[in-house]
Amino acid sequence: MLQKAVFSELSPVKPKKLQVSSDKSTAEIKRETARRLKRKIFPTINLIFRILAASNQFAMRIKYFLLSFLLFIGISFRALADEGMWLPILLQSLNEKEMQDMGFRLTAEDIYSINNGSMKDAVVLFGGGCTAEIVSDQGLILTNHHCGYGSIQSHSSVEFDYLTNGFWAMSKEQELSNPGLKATILVRMEDVTASVLEKVNRGMTEAQRQDAIEKAIAKIESESVKGTHYKAQVKSFYYGNEFYLMVYEVFEDVRLVGAPPSSIGKFGGDTDNWMWPRHTGDFSVFRIYANKDNKPAAYSKDNVPYKPKYSFPISLMGVKEDDFTFVFGYPGTTEHFTVSEGVKIITEDENPIAIGLRRMRMDVMEKYMKTDPAIRIQYSNKIAGIANYWKKMIGESKGIRQWNGIERKQAIENDFMETLRRNTEAMEKYRTLLSDMEETYKNLRPYSLAFTYFYEGAYSIEALRYAYGFTTYVNECIADPSSTKLPALREKLQKSAEGYFKNYNIDIDREIAMLIFPMLKNMGSSMLPSAWSQLDTKYNGDWTQATNAIYSTSCFVSLEKTNDFLALKPKKVKRMIAKDPMYQLAEGFFNMYFDVIEPSRSQYNSQLDSLYRIYVAAVRELKLSERLYPDANSTLRVAYGKVKGFEAADAVGYSYFTTADGILQKEDPTIDDYYVDPKLKEMVLNKDYGRYADADGTLHTGFIATNHTTGGNSGSPVLNANGQLVGINFDRVWEGTMSDLMFDPNKCRNVSLDIRYCLWVIDKFAGAGYLIDEMTIVK
């Protein structure tokens, strides 16, 4: 009965002739075809998976057919989808025609040029993990509020609460310096694969191969910037099958110019994070400074605003559905080549552990932050960092599960093996490749889980992490109490202590530790330090009592106790440290990580890296896909697509844009995430939008598109077909966060701040219109 019912639902129907308008481009025709196919086929695929779950016997009989069928559909869609993070140096050969077919009105040379100023010269690697864009000839840059959050917090206090109230420099003299913050601009990119692999041969071991590559890279990096102030970096692509040289100019004087209040810059908070619709004014404004020769220099009052080779013009025209857009930025990490076993470990093992441990920490922080404004300022940046990927991991695992991601990966692997069976030479080379990868993942799994508990658990306990920072000093005291190194080590620790405890609350840390310590037993007895086991035995598993004892006796839980410890004579340090339970735990956990967990984890990850290098080379050799883009690795990339809404679930569909009216609809004075500034509310009620209003009379706050983005793209410029700035990328929709592993063209959407809302806040709300005067505005 089951089989009969299945084939009744799968029975063929007479296909309708596809009607195509003569004025549509080839790319648009392909996309229309794909959309219609997906509406017909995806429901069938999901039905089959449900039936397979109900009938293992039937599943075995049609498994091969299903996997091959699914693979065919998956690959077909991959060629048509707006997936990919492409190297700008290769756009002309790989992407330019498709981009122009989709509506792009410029050329690849306008995006990336060596001989002339181009868009690449206005894209900035902001700090260590965000993107920004230059929008004036005076070095003014825009990025996300959450990217500038740490800098804003560093200047904030209860008296000057820039996080809550915002900050606006009304002249360049009022702009605030940010020690340690860097702005990095790409000068050029070059394929150096041949030079890197010149000394590599097939007879080498992996260690020998890596050594030859590292020596070649060091030589290339050194020679490429010799006699200049530039910085060089060679990065691996396609798991070591290709290598590219990046030459950068790194600016060290980056000053805070403006930031909206958190009620705008963080509107929706953690509640709306990774979600759509969004109404967050997620932006902040900085300025790059250089010396009088327009070159990077450390902060100095004599520095002047940087004169860029290019700055983005800004469009006030907004976007409409199906408009072409592209994102130009520094995406951090993706793993789209990952095989099914790897996806399973990430989404079914690691993510659930991390999600639970992060939720514990956030619950404690939120409780205390509600009681005291000073604590709220102390922990605002910390909780933001924890919450960001907590929610992302939830969406990622859910997305893979709902899209049958593991089954889809298995289908791709099945096709790989079928291709090998038809190719005797390839079969000889790659016969055991996938089984070797599966076996390596199984060996890696216990160490991967132990690392997750260590990093998300033990490492997250602030006092434990802080105590480990004293090991160099402690070991020197024990080895040689008269060492001449001790005064400098002690002074460094004394100076850093005050800054550390400025943002530390012992009650929060202690309560988190009470919850975390008992969870660490899941690391496995062979990977737990003896200090943990001894405390577990001593207190009969009562970690509330144990934690209270730890925090009452440790030297590393207050500034006063830490200074007292540093004041001890070196000869007394050994005895004191032996009695400090926090230090013993810190040393134990970190030693276990460095001596047991990480060596094995590195061993198996290195094996996987080698296997993935072979796998990716095989996929390219066998031509299993029309085009393959390299995984993101914090290098400059272009992603392109169309402005488009999406269907999140059955009967749940979303428009492509939001407006300021939605801010008032979400307003809830009892919830911090939805507090609305009275001034903003009045302006919205009065429709006081000026030239920033859309043609429909509303003020658009955000929009979504099919551009493929990830972490690191935060702050990236979102550009229209003319290369004009129309938005600032700041998030992805929750339903599509699995795009780091797999890209679902139906649900993966990047979320952007509409640039008109950003400018409206700067100009009309903050009264900093002089900044707008610096920009090139296109009406």
Side-chain angles (χ1 to χ4, degrees):
M1 289 294 294
L2 179 60
Q3 295 181 38
K4 185 176 180 180
V6 170
F7 285 108
S8 175
E9 292 200 58
L10 296 183
S11 58
V13 295
K14 186 177 180 180
K16 295 181 179 179
K17 185 177 180 181
L18 180 63
Q19 299 295 323
V20 179
S21 172
S22 61
D23 63 349
K24 290 186 177 180
S25 69
T26 303
E28 288 171 327
I29 293 170
K30 288 181 178 180
R31 280 171 170 74
E32 183 173 343
T33 305
R35 285 195 297 272
R36 296 188 184 190
L37 282 171
K38 286 182 281 187
R39 283 198 295 269
K40 296 290 185 184
I41 296 171
F42 278 7
T44 300
I45 292 172
N46 288 327
L47 170 65
I48 293 174
F49 278 120
R50 290 198 302 271
I51 293 168
L52 290 181
S55 175
N56 291 332
Q57 183 179 4
F58 184 50
M60 293 298 294
R61 293 174 63 182
I62 69 166
K63 178 180 179 182
Y64 173 74
F65 164 76
L66 172 62
L67 293 180
S68 299
F69 172 71
L70 177 57
L71 177 70
F72 170 76
I73 298 301
I75 288 182
S76 297
F77 289 160
R78 185 182 307 159
L80 297 173
D82 301 319
E83 178 182 2
M85 299 173 180
W86 305 95
L87 290 169
I89 194 175
L90 300 178
L91 288 178
Q92 190 169 29
S93 59
L94 294 179
N95 310 96
E96 183 181 70
K97 185 179 185 304
E98 181 180 60
M99 292 173 73
Q100 290 172 343
D101 286 343
M102 292 173 65
F104 184 50
R105 299 190 184 99
L106 303 176
T107 67
E109 180 76 7
D110 293 308
I111 294 176
Y112 178 91
S113 176
I114 293 294
N115 301 316
N116 302 296
S118 61
M119 295 182 205
K120 76 160 174 62
D121 300 309
V123 182
V124 178
L125 176 60
F126 183 83
C130 281
T131 304
E133 51 274 4
I134 302 176
V135 293
S136 86
D137 61 2
Q138 298 179 51
L140 196 70
I141 60 176
L142 299 176
T143 189
N144 288 153
H145 186 269
H146 73 261
C147 293
Y149 202 79
S151 297
I152 302 165
Q153 185 207 23
S154 70
H155 294 292
S156 297
S157 63
V158 174
E159 183 181 3
F160 299 104
D161 190 353
Y162 298 139
L163 285 176
T164 299
N165 303 319
F167 168 80
W168 298 98
M170 292 303 171
S171 67
K172 291 183 177 67
E173 289 71 28
Q174 294 179 5
E175 295 172 0
L176 303 176
S177 66
N178 300 279
L181 179 60
K182 296 179 181 179
T184 302
I185 300 174
L186 180 71
V187 177
R188 64 184 176 89
M189 181 184 294
E190 179 184 345
D191 184 349
V192 293
T193 305
S195 298
V196 170
L197 299 180
E198 183 180 5
K199 302 292 185 181
V200 173
N201 60 68
R202 291 185 178 181
M204 287 181 164
T205 64
E206 282 300 316
Q208 291 171 333
R209 183 182 191 277
Q210 189 59 33
D211 183 61
I213 287 173
E214 288 176 0
K215 287 179 179 177
I217 286 175
K219 181 180 179 182
I220 292 169
E221 289 179 341
S222 175
E223 292 179 352
S224 64
V225 294
K226 188 175 182 180
T228 75
H229 64 279
Y230 296 141
K231 307 292 183 183
Q233 184 180 44
V234 172
K235 284 258 192 173
S236 165
F237 293 78
Y238 299 106
Y239 284 91
N241 284 288
E242 293 184 8
F243 295 85
Y244 286 80
L245 166 70
M246 317 292 166
V247 176
Y248 296 109
E249 194 167 28
V250 182
F251 293 86
E252 299 179 358
D253 187 354
V254 183
R255 304 182 194 180
L256 176 63
V257 176
S262 289
S263 60
I264 295 175
K266 278 195 68 181
F267 182 78
D270 295 333
T271 309
D272 281 2
N273 192 26
W274 297 103
M275 305 298 283
W276 183 257
R278 292 294 286 278
H279 302 83
T280 313
D282 195 350
F283 77 93
S284 54
V285 189
F286 290 78
R287 193 186 303 277
I288 301 172
Y289 279 77
N291 64 20
K292 293 179 180 179
D293 296 322
N294 206 39
K295 293 181 179 179
Y299 171 80
S300 169
K301 291 182 179 180
D302 295 329
N303 286 347
V304 296
Y306 170 62
K307 298 290 185 183
K309 296 176 183 176
Y310 187 90
S311 61
F312 285 112
I314 300 174
S315 172
L316 296 184
M317 296 301 292
V319 295
K320 296 179 176 60
E321 189 145 29
D322 287 324
D323 276 359
F324 174 83
T325 59
F326 65 106
V327 175
F328 205 0
Y330 287 88
T333 304
T334 58
E335 301 173 275
H336 82 279
F337 289 108
T338 304
V339 296
S340 58
E341 196 65 30
V343 174
K344 188 182 296 184
I345 287 178
I346 292 170
T347 61
E348 296 183 359
D349 292 341
E350 296 173 352
N351 281 359
I353 294 169
I355 289 164
L357 293 172
R358 287 188 178 220
R359 183 67 265 177
M360 285 181 181
R361 294 157 64 195
M362 289 191 296
D363 286 343
V364 175
M365 290 180 183
E366 287 170 354
K367 181 178 75 172
Y368 283 89
M369 289 170 73
K370 291 176 182 177
T371 66
D372 188 334
I375 296 176
R376 174 180 54 77
I377 292 172
Q378 280 182 321
Y379 277 78
S380 57
N381 197 37
K382 294 178 184 179
I383 197 169
I386 297 167
N388 192 33
Y389 267 75
W390 165 78
K391 200 165 188 178
K392 187 262 186 182
M393 287 184 283
I394 295 173
E396 181 177 69
S397 291
K398 182 180 179 180
I400 291 292
R401 185 172 62 253
Q402 290 185 339
W403 207 48
N404 301 304
I406 293 172
E407 291 85 353
R408 289 172 184 269
K409 286 287 188 178
Q410 289 169 343
I412 293 171
E413 292 153 26
N414 181 75
D415 183 73
F416 178 81
M417 292 305 299
E418 279 302 304
T419 304
L420 292 185
R421 292 185 187 102
R422 296 191 297 269
N423 187 324
T424 304
E425 183 180 350
M427 176 61 87
E428 286 300 311
K429 286 198 292 183
Y430 306 123
R431 180 190 303 273
T432 65
L433 180 57
L434 290 178
S435 60
D436 288 345
M437 295 176 87
E438 182 178 5
E439 182 65 24
T440 305
Y441 270 116
K442 288 179 180 178
N443 292 333
L444 170 66
R445 186 176 182 273
Y447 300 100
S448 176
L449 297 183
F451 170 76
T452 304
Y453 275 108
F454 168 77
Y455 182 74
E456 298 287 350
Y459 187 81
S460 72
I461 298 170
E462 293 180 83
L464 187 147
R465 190 168 68 247
Y466 182 63
Y468 187 75
F470 284 73
T471 52
T472 302
Y473 175 74
V474 168
N475 290 338
E476 192 69 19
C477 285
I478 294 172
D480 181 7
S482 60
S483 171
T484 56
K485 299 178 182 178
L486 289 174
L489 290 171
R490 185 186 303 112
E491 182 181 4
K492 183 178 179 181
L493 291 169
Q494 287 170 335
K495 286 182 177 179
S496 64
E498 188 171 346
Y500 169 79
F501 284 107
K502 175 188 174 184
N503 292 316
Y504 177 79
N505 182 284
I506 186 173
D507 295 324
I508 292 176
D509 196 38
R510 178 171 48 222
E511 192 165 330
I512 288 173
M514 285 179 186
L515 298 171
I516 295 291
F517 277 134
M519 297 295 295
L520 298 178
K521 65 182 177 183
N522 294 312
M523 291 175 68
S525 58
S526 64
M527 294 183 226
L528 280 167
S530 58
W532 184 94
S533 301
Q534 289 167 6
L535 285 166
D536 190 55
T537 301
K538 179 178 180 180
Y539 291 97
N540 296 315
D542 185 349
W543 277 96
T544 298
Q545 185 180 0
T547 304
N548 283 327
I550 292 167
Y551 278 77
S552 64
T553 56
S554 178
C555 299
F556 304 102
V557 295
S558 74
L559 179 60
E560 182 182 5
K561 286 186 175 183
T562 299
N563 285 335
D564 287 345
F565 171 75
L566 291 171
L568 289 173
K569 293 182 178 179
K571 290 183 179 180
K572 295 185 177 182
V573 166
K574 181 178 180 179
R575 183 178 178 183
M576 176 64 74
I577 216 69
K579 297 186 297 182
D580 193 297
M582 187 65 78
Y583 186 85
Q584 295 303 316
L585 284 167
E587 188 176 47
F589 273 109
F590 275 90
N591 286 347
M592 188 61 69
Y593 166 71
F594 286 119
D595 297 341
V596 178
I597 299 171
E598 187 54 25
S600 296
R601 188 166 164 266
S602 294
Q603 174 190 342
Y604 294 122
N605 276 326
S606 294
Q607 290 177 15
L608 283 171
D609 284 344
S610 300
L611 291 169
Y612 272 113
R613 185 183 74 247
I614 298 169
Y615 178 58
V616 172
V619 169
R620 299 172 81 183
E621 176 187 330
L622 299 172
K623 299 181 179 178
L624 295 178
S625 183
E626 292 180 20
R627 293 181 305 179
L628 289 175
Y629 64 93
D631 272 320
N633 59 358
S634 296
T635 55
L636 190 59
R637 305 293 183 91
V638 172
Y640 53 91
K642 293 288 189 79
V643 174
K644 195 174 294 296
F646 76 107
E647 293 184 6
D650 184 36
V652 181
Y654 290 115
S655 171
Y656 71 91
F657 71 94
T658 55
T659 71
D661 295 335
I663 298 173
L664 303 190
Q665 292 168 9
K666 285 183 175 180
E667 181 183 19
D668 187 339
T670 66
I671 302 176
D672 288 343
D673 286 350
Y674 297 121
Y675 169 78
V676 177
D677 186 284
K679 181 180 178 181
L680 182 139
K681 182 176 182 178
E682 181 181 1
M683 294 176 73
V684 172
L685 287 172
N686 292 332
K687 306 297 182 186
D688 185 9
Y689 303 144
R691 60 175 173 164
Y692 307 110
D694 190 74
D696 62 12
T698 64
L699 178 63
H700 286 208
T701 53
F703 63 91
I704 53 175
T706 61
N707 301 300
H708 191 179
T709 61
T710 186
N713 276 126
S714 291
S716 294
V718 183
L719 305 155
N720 64 14
N722 297 314
Q724 298 160 348
L725 187 67
V726 291
I728 303 174
N729 184 79
F730 71 93
D731 208 348
R732 286 174 280 170
V733 300
W734 192 53
E735 294 81 0
T737 52
M738 35 83 84
S739 62
D740 287 350
L741 297 169
M742 301 181 75
F743 188 89
D744 179 355
N746 291 315
K747 292 185 178 179
C748 292
R749 299 288 185 271
N750 69 301
V751 181
S752 302
L753 167 68
D754 193 302
I755 196 63
R756 295 170 297 179
Y757 183 49
C758 169
L759 299 182
W760 179 80
V761 171
I762 294 173
D763 188 2
K764 304 281 285 183
F765 176 84
Y770 80 96
L771 295 174
I772 309 297
D773 295 338
E774 288 187 31
M775 307 174 190
T776 300
I777 305 296
V778 180
K779 299 179 182 179

